[in-house]
Amino acid sequence: MKEIIAIIRPSKMNLTKKNLDALDIPSVTAISVLGRGKQRGLNPVLSGIEISRGTLMRGHITGMKFVPKRMLIIVAKDEDVDVIVNVLVKSNKTGYIGDGKIFVCPTDDALKVRTMERGDAAL
């Protein structure tokens, strides 16, 4: 089992849900979150300013502290992970700063509280 954590743009949530539903993914947890990446909350493309990558990496630019995002959490069988990740990328890639991140983490076990099923059966 793997836990897939995806940080995406709020505006891509409906498309992402639609595409995950088409895969028959049974459960997804979505949380409104705030955060920022290496660009420190600035989007040079949208703001019309030109910032060199080196300047961003050195931290000489300060900007908006946090950007609204959505965090999706999906626990999936190992064999489903690549398909889910591909759908997340396809649904969210615009080619601009802020498209998001996807993390895939090992999950040792799962337990369905009502039935006490464990492992893949709990998903």
Side-chain angles (χ1 to χ4, degrees), residues 2-14:
K2 300 280 193 255
E3 179 183 33
I4 303 165
I5 302 169
I7 310 296
I8 66 170
R9 298 175 192 272
S11 63
K12 293 292 190 173
M13 191 64 197
N14 286 335

Side-chain angles (χ1 to χ4, degrees), residues 6 19 28 40 45 51-52 97 99 101:
N19 291 340
V28 178
R40 308 226 183 274
V45 173
I51 302 171
S52 74
I97 289 174
D99 277 350
K101 298 265 181 29

Side-chain angles (χ1 to χ4, degrees), residues 4-104:
I4 303 165
I5 302 169
I7 310 296
I8 66 170
R9 298 175 192 272
S11 63
K12 293 292 190 173
M13 191 64 197
N14 286 335
L15 177 61
T16 302
K17 286 191 304 185
K18 177 183 169 190
N19 291 340
L20 287 171
D21 191 43
L23 286 179
D24 200 26
I25 301 302
S27 59
V28 178
T29 300
I31 305 166
S32 293
V33 296
L34 299 171
R36 70 175 193 195
K38 292 178 186 176
Q39 79 279 6
R40 308 226 183 274
L42 294 174
N43 189 337
V45 173
L46 297 179
S47 62
I49 58 175
E50 197 168 312
I51 302 171
S52 74
R53 184 175 177 86
T55 301
L56 286 174
M57 298 305 288
R58 287 189 302 273
H60 295 292
I61 300 292
T62 59
M64 189 164 98
K65 296 292 183 198
F66 295 105
V67 177
K69 297 286 184 172
R70 294 294 181 272
M71 180 169 65
L72 305 179
I73 303 169
I74 304 166
V75 179
K77 296 176 183 177
D78 288 340
E79 58 267 19
D80 295 336
V81 170
D82 288 339
V83 173
I84 293 169
V85 168
N86 288 336
V87 163
L88 290 169
V89 169
K90 177 184 170 192
S91 303
N92 292 281
K93 186 174 182 177
T94 68
Y96 293 102
I97 289 174
D99 277 350
K101 298 265 181 29
I102 300 172
F103 306 95
V104 179

